[in-house]
Amino acid sequence: MVTDLNASKAGLRLTFDPSLIKRYDKAGPRYTSYPTAVQFTEAFSCEDYLRAVERSNRESPPKPLSLYFHIPFCATLCFYCACNKVITKRKEKALEYLDRLYREIEMQGALFDRQRQVEQLHLGGGTPTFLSPPQLEALLHQVRRHFSLRQDDRRDFSIEVDPRTVDTGYLQALWDLGFNRISLGVQDFDPHVQKAVHRIQSQQATLGLIEAARRIGFRSINTDLIYGLPLQTLQSFSITLDTLIEAAPNRISLFNYAHLPDRFPPQQRIKAEELPSPDEKLAILQRSVEKLNAAGYVYIGMDHFARPEDELNRARQEGTLYRNFQGYSTHANCDLVGMGVTAIGQVSDCYVQNHRTLENYYAALDEGKPALLKGYALSLDDKIRRRVIENIMCYGRIDFPAIEASFDIDFHEYFSPEVEQLRIMEADGLIELSSRALQVRPAGRLLLRNVCMVFDRYLPQAQKTSRFSRVI
């Protein structure tokens, strides 16, 4: 059944067409970057990165900075997890990691002009709250020694929080340290689902933290849900969603569980026969979208929903929304400096990624070298396609004259083969093409990745060597 949803506060329409979604539900990149990480290469050297930083420092005016720190440690293993993590209960592991991270902070800080303010800072993982408040305080002290952190209310300092290990006192400590945004992993409140994925998490404690964070004064509270987990049903996930909606977080991320056990070994512990069927999984998504829409949440794109007054929605309306390795962001004007094992950064027109194992990460820093493993320098064609893909992912629209003016091309001539492919999507009702624009229609809003794939010149080759998650 086709469902037409209206979000009057945002002026958006979203049509849920199950038959159309099934037809286009294929695997593809999530486009947190273009080109995607598949194209990163070890041929990209430390010297290449240094030259990119120099170019960035010479820009007038130079861009502000966004810092990302990867904290890989988790006390327990969530079977669904595809993140880079180290499972350990040994808290002393954090000490040797922080020692190396401090060295990297000093090394990276020396590269960037100190007049470039850090507007955005994010700690992800793993589990950043594996660190104690005193350890977080020491980490931020090191960051302030080597970078200029913004101190006013326009700063965007966020951290991922594990509700199983954090109490109100810890939240207060985070606030006192300058964090003003938190993200809580929820995934599912159903105890049977929690047991199946090895993540037992008290509903009462989670809801209590949301309320405490709001009372303390955090500007934004994000929560993560995952649909498609083992033992989930339409009814059980509806209860989870109703419970979370009642708690009214500012943002809800609704992720699709991608079962790739050959790529992510922890998923081998999930029983494939316990996963919801494709039809039930689609019904769960449809019900979720309907409930979020009815509760007043605005569909930002991909898997992100936000309250109408949230900064993500305002950025979408004002044309300043951005998508990077952490998802949707309001800081499109920043260079991103990633630090920690496997962290990814974006400086000037280059992407860089650190070593993926602690052993190699430690070894590089112990030798006084950058922790860089690989990277990528964008060509002019990459920049053109990146702009097009960003516009689709963030706004569901491509303004042809704007692209032509920025890159001195004729859009229809440059993308002649792609336009022919788009005609099929137009006939299916996903998009609308005119002489001046591509507009994603309501039926195509959940299929933004499919539209982007048309413009990805590396995808045919990447699909031969890499496995991507399915769109739905």
Side-chain angles (χ1 to χ4, degrees), residues 334-438:
C334 291
D335 274 337
L336 171 63
V337 185
M339 286 171 274
V341 64
T342 204
I344 298 178
Q346 179 180 342
V347 176
S348 187
D349 289 316
C350 294
Y351 300 127
V352 290
Q353 183 171 25
N354 278 351
H355 285 288
R356 298 185 60 82
T357 67
L358 287 182
E359 180 182 11
N360 291 336
Y361 176 73
Y362 289 171
L365 292 167
D366 288 348
E367 293 175 12
K369 299 177 181 178
L372 182 134
L373 169 64
K374 55 186 177 179
Y376 187 87
L378 278 73
S379 67
L380 176 59
D381 178 71
D382 293 331
K383 296 173 190 177
I384 296 171
R385 293 174 185 271
R386 178 175 66 177
R387 178 76 62 82
V388 167
I389 288 172
E390 282 181 350
N391 286 349
I392 295 169
M393 294 299 289
C394 293
Y395 309 109
R397 179 181 174 84
I398 308 170
D399 186 279
F400 300 155
I403 298 294
E404 292 171 338
S406 294
F407 297 102
D408 193 24
I409 62 171
D410 179 287
F411 189 93
H412 287 81
E413 181 179 329
Y414 194 92
F415 290 112
S416 178
E418 288 81 1
V419 170
E420 289 305 309
Q421 294 180 58
L422 292 171
R423 297 294 181 192
I424 300 173
M425 291 185 169
E426 184 179 35
D428 285 338
L430 269 69
I431 63 171
E432 181 178 338
L433 284 172
S434 70
S435 61
R436 297 182 59 83
L438 177 154

Side-chain angles (χ1 to χ4, degrees), residues 296-362:
Y297 283 88
V298 175
Y299 179 62
I300 302 299
M302 279 287 291
D303 30 40
H304 282 54
F305 296 80
R307 305 293 301 180
E309 67 278 5
D310 188 83
E311 290 180 10
L312 276 184
N313 188 45
R314 293 207 304 270
R316 184 192 60 78
Q317 293 172 324
E318 295 167 2
T320 58
L321 189 64
Y322 178 57
R323 187 163 171 80
N324 64 14
F325 301 101
Q326 282 87 59
Y328 287 101
S329 170
T330 59
H331 293 265
N333 62 327
C334 291
D335 274 337
L336 171 63
V337 185
M339 286 171 274
V341 64
T342 204
I344 298 178
Q346 179 180 342
V347 176
S348 187
D349 289 316
C350 294
Y351 300 127
V352 290
Q353 183 171 25
N354 278 351
H355 285 288
R356 298 185 60 82
T357 67
L358 287 182
E359 180 182 11
N360 291 336
Y361 176 73
Y362 289 171

